[in-house]
Amino acid sequence: MAPPRNRAQDAHKGKGKGHTSREGPNGRALLADPLSNKGVAFTQEERERYGLVGVLPPAVLSLELQARRAWEQLGAQGDDLAKNVYLEQLHDRNEVLYYRLLCDHLPELLPIVYDPTVGEAIKRYSHEYRRPRGVYLSIDRPQDVRPAFQALGLGPDDVDLVVATDAEQLLGIGDWGVGGMQISVGKLAVYTAAAGIHPGRAVPVMLDVGTGNQALLNDPLYVGNRHNRVRGEAYDSFVAAFVEAVGELFPHALLHWEDFGPGNGRRILQQYGEKIRTFNDDMQGTGAITLACVMNAARVTGTPMRDQRIVVFGAGTAGVGIADQLRDAMVRDGLDREEATRRIWCVDRQGLLRQSTEGLRDYQQPYARPDDEWPPDRPADLPSVVDRAQPTVLVGTSTQHGAFTEDVVRSMARHVDRPVVLPLSNPTEKIEAMPEDVLRWTGGKALVATGIPVPPVELDGTTYVIGQANNALLYPGLGLGAVVARADRITDGMLQAAAEAVAGLADLSQPGAALLPEVENLRASSAVVATAVARRAAEEDVARARLDDVIQQVQDAMWQPEYG
Ligand SMILES: NC(=O)c1ccc[n+]([C@@H]2O[C@H](COP(=O)([O-])OP(=O)(O)OC[C@H]3O[C@@H](n4cnc5c(N)ncnc54)[C@H](O)[C@@H]3O)[C@@H](O)[C@H]2O)c1
Ligand SMILES: O=C(O)C[C@H](O)C(=O)O
Ligand SMILES: [Mg+2]
């Protein structure tokens, strides 16, 4: 898994001696190459060898001291968006230093490079724009898809991972066109910080098919395609050209789809999911992390999976992805598919989804309740559904801030002793309820996890740690496991193995314990998840790599933010 054109890493592996300009940039060009740049950490010998004499101030600093300086500079930034911009600039200058900072301060910096600040960075993309990062593909120039990847100068064995978005449904903030590049970049940063995916072997991609966001179309500074979203056949053949180019040029790469609209996202997965190494993070990653959460809640409450009653509010990409995985888990716990489906109530804009509901989408259909069970004249809004269905678990993937009102949560708590409340919408301004409120309304009885990071809540002498039910706790390990195993596909079994591994890492012994492992331990937990995923791939016969010592192979595959 040698990195392409990365002098710092080559040197680490003892291949760094005698480099000439033929093998990589020298002089000032070397400082401009973020994967090779060490800045003032270049030793005197390296400065002489690489044509850096007189280019740098004389002192040689260690990575630790550079990280201390960067941390100081970061602290001087005015707000979280400024911190995000600062970190992205560092990312563009010196990747080892960037990841060193990220790995050393994951709980503090994940919210800056990822959710929730990444939402702000997406919205401000064209205004904060400084440098490009990743591959931008335009639907107006499908002939450029292949040359754009070829221009990376990478060979067939050089890429492990491609993260792509078309930016139609970014987090809960909707369509932000080319600004969506920041979600591909942010997801990859998490892959590297959390699971050691090599930053030089991962490619963020923006599939610019236009935008329906009028404000962007009217903004003279907007740097994306200035037309409405293209749909239909042209869209599908653009996506097909992308999949084909990646498959041919980088045959071992895992293809991760992020923040597509529900129609396209599901269709793409149906088309390619069985054929290539690919997954949709919002449907499958979110489904699996939520399953981990519910499995642990079931441990705490003592209510087995098959007895759960689940209300999903917001039956879109994430909501139905979650419903699917919870249903399958109930089936594994002894129910038949029909019984399991009947234990899930999906509520969307139209209220409870019923067979007669107008505008039902195909992926919602399996969860539509029979009309004789819920007559058309019965109220079907969230409070009525909660009141009648008496759920043990309430999932929020609606983007509706405050939708889990005091009434709804109290009504749930009237029927179950320990209600499981999961307001998963991101970023902060979209969350269905804040954990502090949910805990207060239920006298500390609720088990809560959220998509965004939330500080612990103190209530009546107990500290409630809020697990972050964000796919970031799952997809890095899933991806690393698939890469190590060289899995042909991402199977349901691999997702299930990832969910079980994450669930098993949470310490549920204390009152107020989080339902999920702490972000602080994400690197260690991603390795455990990757090991479980790779093993399952081998069991299911989709692993192409020989896995003699999976634990060691996972460790060996994890890139460390260190200079060579
Ligand atoms: N925590 C996580 O890991 C995670 C992962 C994926 C998505 N999410 C969050 O989930 C939310 C939804 O994302 P998505 O990709 O599924 O989007 P989506 O557009 O596919 O789905 C949202 C659904 O909510 C419905 N909805 C909108 N307004 C509603 C209302 N007033 N009442 C009921 N339903 C309503 C929409 O009709 C749609 O079906 C976002 O905020 C996203 O950040 C969280
Ligand atoms: O990106 C995240 O933070 C989680 C999820 O993929 C989302 O779309 O909200
Ligand atoms: Mg997403």
Side-chain angles (χ1 to χ4, degrees):
M1 296 218 177
R5 296 181 296 111
N6 180 344
R7 179 167 281 144
Q9 291 290 309
D10 283 354
H12 177 61
K13 293 189 174 166
K15 297 184 211 151
K17 294 220 171 67
H19 267 294
T20 68
S21 54
R22 276 179 292 119
E23 291 167 345
N26 272 336
R28 289 178 200 275
L30 175 57
L31 300 184
D33 177 8
L35 271 171
S36 304
N37 181 25
K38 302 185 190 179
V40 292
F42 277 116
T43 63
Q44 190 55 41
E45 193 214 338
E46 287 169 331
R47 293 175 190 207
E48 284 162 26
R49 196 190 317 154
Y50 300 141
L52 292 169
V53 174
V55 176
L56 294 162
V60 175
L61 263 58
S62 64
L63 177 58
E64 287 65 34
L65 286 173
Q66 288 179 302
R68 191 209 284 184
R69 180 186 58 220
W71 185 248
E72 231 177 75
Q73 291 172 348
L74 181 69
Q77 305 302 315
D79 59 17
D80 286 351
L81 178 62
K83 288 183 179 165
N84 173 287
V85 171
Y86 171 82
L87 284 172
E88 279 315 301
Q89 288 179 308
L90 181 60
H91 199 176
D92 288 340
R93 284 199 308 273
N94 180 334
E95 296 223 23
V96 170
L97 180 53
Y98 168 82
Y99 281 112
R100 183 57 185 263
L101 214 59
L102 213 54
C103 289
D104 287 352
H105 303 276
L106 209 49
E108 298 98 322
L109 296 188
L110 210 58
I112 304 291
V113 299
Y114 185 60
D115 236 335
T117 311
V118 71
E120 211 44 47
I122 286 167
K123 291 182 186 170
R124 296 281 311 158
Y125 187 75
S126 291
H127 288 258
E128 297 296 343
Y129 181 85
R130 283 154 173 85
R131 272 184 67 157
R133 170 171 279 274
V135 173
Y136 301 80
L137 302 176
S138 164
I139 195 155
D140 301 338
R141 298 190 55 84
Q143 70 275 24
D144 289 349
V145 170
R146 178 178 282 268
F149 284 113
Q150 284 167 332
L152 293 170
L154 301 175
D157 286 328
D158 290 342
V159 177
D160 291 329
L161 184 61
V162 172
V163 175
T165 187
D166 78 348
E168 185 172 7
Q169 179 50 287
L170 293 163
L171 312 167
I173 60 177
D175 178 352
W176 285 88
V178 76
M181 181 53 105
Q182 283 304 107
I183 200 65
S184 296
V185 168
K187 290 273 165 181
L188 277 183
V190 178
Y191 266 114
T192 298
I197 294 286
H198 193 294
R201 301 179 57 87
V203 183
V205 174
M206 172 64 215
L207 297 166
D208 190 339
V209 299
T211 176
N213 184 328
Q214 202 76 47
L216 295 182
L217 294 174
N218 291 332
D219 180 351
L221 293 187
Y222 181 59
V223 291
N225 275 331
R226 204 171 288 273
H227 57 68
N228 200 358
R229 263 178 195 277
V230 174
R231 300 192 187 275
E233 209 193 308
Y235 178 96
D236 287 347
S237 58
F238 179 54
V239 169
F242 160 64
V243 172
E244 199 175 301
V246 169
E248 283 179 23
L249 295 172
F250 311 124
H252 308 301
L254 166 65
L255 189 40
H256 166 143
W257 306 94
E258 189 66 40
D259 290 353
F260 285 69
N264 287 333
R266 205 157 268 273
R267 207 177 61 259
I268 289 170
L269 191 65
Q270 273 159 2
Q271 190 167 352
Y272 300 107
E274 295 291 314
K275 296 190 192 132
I276 59 172
R277 183 182 301 143
T278 196
F279 76 105
N280 179 306
D281 181 40
D282 298 284
M283 290 162 57
Q284 298 170 293
T286 313
I289 193 66
T290 308
L291 171 59
C293 224
V294 174
M295 283 165 60
N296 275 348
R299 283 187 187 125
V300 173
T301 61
T303 307
M305 275 311 291
R306 63 180 171 278
D307 291 338
Q308 302 291 339
R309 301 164 66 85
I310 294 150
V311 169
V312 175
F313 184 62
T317 315
V320 175
I322 291 167
D324 288 348
Q325 299 225 12
L326 294 179
R327 178 202 56 205
D328 293 350
M330 288 194 269
V331 170
R332 289 194 293 273
D333 201 29
L335 300 185
D336 69 32
R337 203 177 156 93
E338 172 65 20
E339 289 168 327
T341 308
R342 287 298 195 90
R343 301 188 78 83
I344 299 174
W345 288 259
C346 285
V347 181
D348 210 273
R349 292 173 200 275
Q350 310 96 314
L352 179 69
L353 300 182
R354 288 166 283 187
Q355 280 163 351
S356 62
T357 300
E358 277 189 32
L360 210 56
R361 308 284 300 262
D362 52 356
Y363 51 85
Q364 296 171 330
Q365 203 89 48
Y367 296 99
R369 314 290 301 190
D371 289 317
D372 55 4
E373 176 203 296
W374 206 288
D377 55 349
R378 179 183 294 161
D381 55 359
L382 181 66
S384 309
V385 174
V386 166
D387 191 42
R388 198 158 181 110
Q390 304 183 3
T392 54
V393 179
L394 175 61
V395 176
T397 43
S398 66
T399 73
Q400 296 305 302
H401 181 82
F404 294 175
T405 59
E406 181 167 356
D407 278 355
V408 165
V409 173
R410 279 189 190 278
S411 147
M412 197 179 165
R414 266 199 296 280
H415 302 295
V416 286
D417 186 38
R418 307 282 323 259
V420 181
V421 181
L422 308 175
L424 302 186
S425 288
N426 303 318
T428 317
E429 73 267 19
K430 303 291 177 186
I431 193 168
E432 284 85 1
M434 287 308 281
E436 189 177 350
D437 294 327
V438 175
L439 284 163
R440 207 161 26 80
W441 298 331
T442 58
K445 291 278 194 177
L447 295 160
V448 194
T450 51
I452 52 160
V454 172
V457 174
E458 299 287 338
L459 186 74
D460 301 331
T462 303
T463 303
Y464 297 86
V465 184
I466 311 301
Q468 193 178 352
N470 190 299
N471 45 39
L473 270 86
L474 190 128
Y475 73 76
L478 175 69
L480 178 62
V483 166
V484 168
R486 287 221 160 166
D488 286 331
R489 291 183 289 114
I490 305 292
T491 63
D492 291 344
M494 288 158 74
L495 288 160
Q496 184 196 331
E500 284 164 1
V502 173
L505 286 162
D507 175 4
L508 304 171
S509 58
Q510 299 302 316
L515 292 175
L516 292 169
E518 303 234 15
V519 167
E520 199 169 348
N521 303 327
L522 197 47
R523 213 166 157 96
S525 45
S526 295
V528 174
V529 174
T531 304
V533 167
R535 281 200 176 119
R536 186 64 62 91
E539 283 159 22
E540 296 193 339
D541 232 11
V542 294
R544 288 229 174 267
R546 220 182 120 146
L547 299 170
D548 299 320
D549 183 351
V550 188
I551 293 179
Q552 194 57 44
Q553 284 169 281
V554 165
Q555 290 301 326
D556 292 346
M558 289 175 79
W559 179 83
Q560 309 288 341
E562 286 161 8
Y563 294 133

